[in-house]
Amino acid sequence: MSTTHRLLVCDDDESLRETLIEQLDLYEEFVTVSAEDGKSALARVAEDRIDLAIMDVGLPDMDGREAVRTMRRNGYRGPVIVLSAQDSEEDTVEGLEAGANDYVAKPFKFAVLLARIRAHLRSHEASEDAVFQIGPYTFRPGAKLLICERGSKLKLTEKETAILRFLYRAGREVVGRDTLLAEVWGYNAQVTTHTLETHIYRLRQKIEPNPAVTAILVTEGGGYKLLP
């Protein structure tokens, strides 16, 4: 199972916005939220976990590119795809310079937009700016941090970070011990499953409300998986 991504669709054209949301909602990998103007989009990005934002240029209260600039100034690091009826080179450059990752001219084919959404999400997840939600924590692998709901921070080791990142990418699929060893430590004959189990134990001491009753990082079928 792939990880669920939260997408923001911001467009003042109600028909287009609802059509996009309806099409995206057909895919289990996406959960969509909507906004009809720049102010609403900025609030969504600030208050909610948004993995990717789709922003129209012609918003009723501001230029969508200005909204993107504000998002970036406020610290939003997720991918942004700008939609516009203007497709000149100047418009494209202005959108990208505002902080967007991509610029899609209207009218567009949904399959093309879908492919770009998936490509940007894959690229972002591999970057140092990636931010994921694991249970009650915000996971920032680039900083090796888990941030609790109240804002306190848990520092992770490099291996703990790698374990969580790989398990997160697996969704709810169980990852076997040998697979996890190979992915985190490489094919090193000196490393055994006992080493992995020790790291899992220490990780649970940090992240589980009750390490004796695992609710986030669970053992199943000869391996491990993360529960949302």
Side-chain angles (χ1 to χ4, degrees), residues 29-30 52 79 81 102 112-125:
E29 67 198 271
F30 302 129
L52 179 144
I81 298 176
D102 207 344
V112 173
L113 178 63
L114 178 62
R116 293 190 179 193
I117 288 170
R118 286 172 168 162
H120 285 295
L121 287 170
R122 285 196 301 271
S123 177
H124 182 68
E125 286 188 355

Short mmCIF file of all heavy atoms in Angstrom, two decimals, residues 29-30 52 79 81 102 112-125:
data_model
loop_
_atom_site.label_atom_id
_atom_site.label_comp_id
_atom_site.label_asym_id
_atom_site.label_seq_id
_atom_site.Cartn_x
_atom_site.Cartn_y
_atom_site.Cartn_z
N GLU A 29 -4.28 6.82 -2.72
CA GLU A 29 -3.03 7.44 -2.26
C GLU A 29 -3.19 8.92 -1.91
O GLU A 29 -2.29 9.52 -1.34
CB GLU A 29 -1.94 7.29 -3.34
CG GLU A 29 -2.23 8.08 -4.60
CD GLU A 29 -1.43 7.62 -5.80
OE1 GLU A 29 -0.31 8.14 -5.99
OE2 GLU A 29 -1.93 6.75 -6.55
N PHE A 30 -4.35 9.50 -2.26
CA PHE A 30 -4.55 10.93 -2.03
C PHE A 30 -5.73 11.22 -1.10
O PHE A 30 -6.76 10.55 -1.16
CB PHE A 30 -4.81 11.67 -3.35
CG PHE A 30 -3.73 11.53 -4.37
CD1 PHE A 30 -4.02 11.14 -5.66
CD2 PHE A 30 -2.40 11.79 -4.04
CE1 PHE A 30 -3.03 11.01 -6.62
CE2 PHE A 30 -1.39 11.66 -4.98
CZ PHE A 30 -1.71 11.26 -6.28
N LEU A 52 1.42 18.45 -0.94
CA LEU A 52 1.61 19.12 -2.23
C LEU A 52 0.44 20.07 -2.45
O LEU A 52 -0.70 19.75 -2.14
CB LEU A 52 1.68 18.10 -3.37
CG LEU A 52 1.86 18.64 -4.79
CD1 LEU A 52 2.76 17.72 -5.63
CD2 LEU A 52 0.50 18.81 -5.51
N PRO A 79 6.07 20.43 -2.42
CA PRO A 79 5.98 20.80 -3.84
C PRO A 79 4.74 21.66 -4.11
O PRO A 79 3.70 21.47 -3.48
CB PRO A 79 5.87 19.45 -4.55
CG PRO A 79 6.32 18.42 -3.57
CD PRO A 79 5.99 18.97 -2.22
N ILE A 81 2.48 23.08 -7.49
CA ILE A 81 2.21 23.11 -8.93
C ILE A 81 1.27 24.27 -9.21
O ILE A 81 0.18 24.35 -8.63
CB ILE A 81 1.60 21.78 -9.41
CG1 ILE A 81 2.56 20.62 -9.19
CG2 ILE A 81 1.23 21.88 -10.90
CD1 ILE A 81 1.99 19.26 -9.55
N ASP A 102 6.50 23.54 -10.46
CA ASP A 102 6.04 23.21 -11.81
C ASP A 102 4.96 24.20 -12.22
O ASP A 102 4.33 24.85 -11.38
CB ASP A 102 5.49 21.77 -11.83
CG ASP A 102 5.61 21.11 -13.20
OD1 ASP A 102 5.83 21.82 -14.20
OD2 ASP A 102 5.46 19.87 -13.26
N VAL A 112 -1.84 13.99 -17.26
CA VAL A 112 -0.55 14.70 -17.23
C VAL A 112 -0.33 15.32 -15.85
O VAL A 112 0.76 15.21 -15.27
CB VAL A 112 -0.50 15.78 -18.33
CG1 VAL A 112 0.76 16.63 -18.17
CG2 VAL A 112 -0.55 15.13 -19.70
N LEU A 113 -1.37 15.97 -15.33
CA LEU A 113 -1.26 16.57 -13.99
C LEU A 113 -1.00 15.48 -12.94
O LEU A 113 -0.15 15.66 -12.05
CB LEU A 113 -2.53 17.33 -13.63
CG LEU A 113 -2.57 17.97 -12.24
CD1 LEU A 113 -1.47 19.02 -12.10
CD2 LEU A 113 -3.94 18.57 -11.95
N LEU A 114 -1.69 14.36 -13.04
CA LEU A 114 -1.50 13.26 -12.10
C LEU A 114 -0.06 12.76 -12.12
O LEU A 114 0.55 12.52 -11.07
CB LEU A 114 -2.46 12.12 -12.44
CG LEU A 114 -2.38 10.86 -11.58
CD1 LEU A 114 -2.71 11.17 -10.13
CD2 LEU A 114 -3.32 9.78 -12.12
N ALA A 115 0.50 12.60 -13.31
CA ALA A 115 1.88 12.13 -13.44
C ALA A 115 2.85 13.12 -12.80
O ALA A 115 3.82 12.73 -12.13
CB ALA A 115 2.24 11.92 -14.90
N ARG A 116 2.59 14.41 -12.98
CA ARG A 116 3.47 15.43 -12.39
C ARG A 116 3.33 15.46 -10.87
O ARG A 116 4.32 15.63 -10.16
CB ARG A 116 3.14 16.80 -12.99
CG ARG A 116 3.50 16.90 -14.46
CD ARG A 116 3.41 18.31 -14.98
NE ARG A 116 3.77 18.39 -16.39
CZ ARG A 116 4.03 19.51 -17.03
NH1 ARG A 116 3.96 20.67 -16.38
NH2 ARG A 116 4.34 19.51 -18.30
N ILE A 117 2.12 15.30 -10.37
CA ILE A 117 1.92 15.24 -8.92
C ILE A 117 2.75 14.11 -8.33
O ILE A 117 3.48 14.29 -7.35
CB ILE A 117 0.42 15.04 -8.59
CG1 ILE A 117 -0.38 16.32 -8.88
CG2 ILE A 117 0.24 14.64 -7.12
CD1 ILE A 117 -1.88 16.12 -8.81
N ARG A 118 2.63 12.93 -8.91
CA ARG A 118 3.35 11.77 -8.39
C ARG A 118 4.86 11.95 -8.49
O ARG A 118 5.60 11.59 -7.57
CB ARG A 118 2.92 10.51 -9.14
CG ARG A 118 1.51 10.03 -8.75
CD ARG A 118 1.04 8.92 -9.64
NE ARG A 118 -0.15 8.27 -9.11
CZ ARG A 118 -0.96 7.51 -9.84
NH1 ARG A 118 -0.71 7.32 -11.13
NH2 ARG A 118 -2.01 6.94 -9.29
N ALA A 119 5.32 12.53 -9.59
CA ALA A 119 6.76 12.74 -9.76
C ALA A 119 7.31 13.71 -8.72
O ALA A 119 8.37 13.47 -8.12
CB ALA A 119 7.04 13.27 -11.17
N HIS A 120 6.59 14.79 -8.45
CA HIS A 120 7.05 15.77 -7.46
C HIS A 120 7.01 15.19 -6.05
O HIS A 120 7.89 15.48 -5.23
CB HIS A 120 6.24 17.05 -7.55
CG HIS A 120 6.59 17.89 -8.74
ND1 HIS A 120 7.83 18.47 -8.91
CD2 HIS A 120 5.87 18.23 -9.83
CE1 HIS A 120 7.86 19.15 -10.04
NE2 HIS A 120 6.68 19.01 -10.63
N LEU A 121 6.01 14.39 -5.75
CA LEU A 121 5.95 13.77 -4.42
C LEU A 121 7.11 12.80 -4.23
O LEU A 121 7.72 12.77 -3.16
CB LEU A 121 4.61 13.05 -4.24
CG LEU A 121 3.39 13.96 -4.04
CD1 LEU A 121 2.11 13.14 -4.11
CD2 LEU A 121 3.47 14.69 -2.70
N ARG A 122 7.42 12.02 -5.25
CA ARG A 122 8.56 11.09 -5.15
C ARG A 122 9.86 11.85 -4.94
O ARG A 122 10.69 11.49 -4.10
CB ARG A 122 8.67 10.23 -6.42
CG ARG A 122 7.63 9.13 -6.54
CD ARG A 122 8.04 8.12 -7.60
NE ARG A 122 8.21 8.74 -8.91
CZ ARG A 122 7.23 8.88 -9.81
NH1 ARG A 122 6.01 8.45 -9.54
NH2 ARG A 122 7.47 9.44 -10.98
N SER A 123 10.05 12.91 -5.71
CA SER A 123 11.27 13.70 -5.59
C SER A 123 11.38 14.35 -4.21
O SER A 123 12.45 14.35 -3.60
CB SER A 123 11.28 14.77 -6.68
OG SER A 123 12.41 15.61 -6.55
N HIS A 124 10.26 14.87 -3.72
CA HIS A 124 10.29 15.55 -2.42
C HIS A 124 10.58 14.58 -1.29
O HIS A 124 11.32 14.91 -0.35
CB HIS A 124 8.94 16.24 -2.17
CG HIS A 124 8.90 17.00 -0.88
ND1 HIS A 124 9.64 18.13 -0.65
CD2 HIS A 124 8.22 16.76 0.27
CE1 HIS A 124 9.41 18.57 0.56
NE2 HIS A 124 8.56 17.76 1.15
N GLU A 125 10.00 13.38 -1.36
CA GLU A 125 10.21 12.41 -0.29
C GLU A 125 11.68 12.00 -0.17
O GLU A 125 12.12 11.58 0.89
CB GLU A 125 9.33 11.18 -0.51
CG GLU A 125 7.87 11.44 -0.19
CD GLU A 125 7.04 10.17 -0.21
OE1 GLU A 125 7.57 9.10 -0.56
OE2 GLU A 125 5.85 10.25 0.14
#
